[in-house]
Amino acid sequence: MGIASSAQYSVSKLTNDPLMKTTTSMVAGRQGSELSAAVGTAIFTALTLGLVQSAMFLFLTGPILSFMGVGKDADMRAPALSYLKWRAVGVPAATVLLVSNGIFRGRGDTTTPLYCTSLGNLCNIALDPLLIFGLGMGVDGAGAALAASQWLAAVPLLYQLKKRYPFKIEKGFWKNADRAAKGYMRAGGLILLRTIAKIIAYSLTASAAASLGSVPMAAYSLTFNLGFATSQLCESVSIASQALLARDAGE
């Protein structure tokens, strides 16, 4: 599960991080048709990237794990492959969830995403022991629980987004959407370069840990998750600052 999560994190981070951070800025201060185009472009792009990632985890899990240092004879390869395929079911929901968070943040609202994300987290907490131990699914249960929780969080958040900031395909949409897409590319390009540098370093360390065996990989995964958890404190300050700036820009 540790190496599978590392592989999934590396692949998804390349696209999701620039898209989410760029979305917040792109929707701030926009109104009317421009806001509709920006929101519609963001959701369409997120869903497209999510489906592409899902296909990668369904059909290219072997090469991905090999790149991460997990050989064909490694004892962790089979469960990692299975876990990634279960995770693939929830990847489109995860990308839509991230981008929807960015849109609400860009409009100065961090409360609505919090409620929906909390609902998904509670679902994950409840399903993990049920599927992993109760139904004896093991690692597969962890992947299935996470996928289900991502959809449970994404669907109501997308509903609230559609209700609050309506967007639809209509006359003039593609013209505004094309302008919004070019804006995403300009704003997200530098973020993508930074993300690539981070992922290269992360992938190399995860690959080195995986090559040492399952126990070192488990230790690496544990310490990485501890570091990731503490870094979220800094991320929360960043999110709050970005939301405040976006709100003021909108005014």
Side-chain angles (χ1 to χ4, degrees):
M1 181 174 172
I3 188 60
S5 296
S6 298
Q8 190 273 334
Y9 178 86
S10 297
V11 173
S12 63
K13 192 76 171 175
L14 286 174
T15 55
N16 292 355
D17 203 38
L19 183 60
M20 181 185 68
K21 287 180 169 60
T22 303
T23 297
T24 301
S25 301
M26 293 299 296
V27 300
R30 298 198 175 198
Q31 301 296 335
S33 61
E34 286 194 348
L35 176 60
S36 175
V39 172
T41 302
I43 296 299
F44 179 78
T45 304
L47 185 59
T48 301
L49 291 175
L51 291 173
V52 170
Q53 291 178 36
S54 182
M56 289 178 64
F57 292 130
L58 284 172
F59 303 109
L60 298 176
T61 48
I64 291 173
L65 288 177
S66 295
F67 176 77
M68 296 295 293
V70 182
K72 293 183 179 180
D73 298 328
D75 56 353
M76 70 183 85
R77 187 178 180 91
L81 286 169
S82 184
Y83 176 81
L84 273 177
K85 289 182 178 180
W86 276 105
R87 281 290 301 270
V89 178
V91 169
T95 56
V96 170
L97 182 63
L98 283 172
V99 170
S100 298
N101 267 278
I103 294 172
F104 276 104
R105 187 191 309 173
R107 306 304 293 179
D109 179 6
T110 57
T111 303
T112 303
L114 175 63
Y115 290 150
C116 294
T117 303
S118 298
L119 177 64
N121 289 337
L122 290 174
C123 171
N124 195 14
I125 292 172
L127 287 179
D128 267 335
L130 175 63
L131 298 182
I132 295 173
F133 305 109
L135 298 182
M137 294 179 65
V139 172
D140 291 358
L146 184 55
S149 67
Q150 288 171 332
W151 280 108
L152 186 61
V155 170
L157 187 59
L158 191 59
Y159 170 77
Q160 289 296 326
L161 180 66
K162 177 71 173 176
K163 183 179 178 181
R164 195 169 307 181
Y165 311 112
F167 60 94
K168 60 181 179 179
I169 305 298
E170 58 185 4
K171 184 178 180 180
F173 173 86
W174 292 111
K175 181 179 179 180
N176 290 321
D178 180 65
R179 184 162 54 249
K182 290 179 180 178
Y184 277 111
M185 294 300 294
R186 287 194 301 269
L190 293 178
I191 299 177
L192 177 61
L193 291 177
R194 187 200 68 172
T195 304
I196 290 174
K198 290 170 58 177
I199 293 303
I200 288 175
Y202 173 68
S203 298
L204 288 174
T205 55
S207 177
S211 66
L212 297 176
S214 56
V215 174
M217 184 61 221
Y220 171 81
S221 179
L222 174 62
T223 54
F224 173 80
N225 284 320
L226 288 173
F228 180 78
T230 54
S231 71
Q232 294 307 292
L233 296 174
C234 298
E235 181 74 9
S236 65
V237 176
S238 173
I239 290 173
S241 301
Q242 195 174 18
L244 290 173
L245 288 171
R247 183 195 63 185
D248 293 340
E251 295 174 352

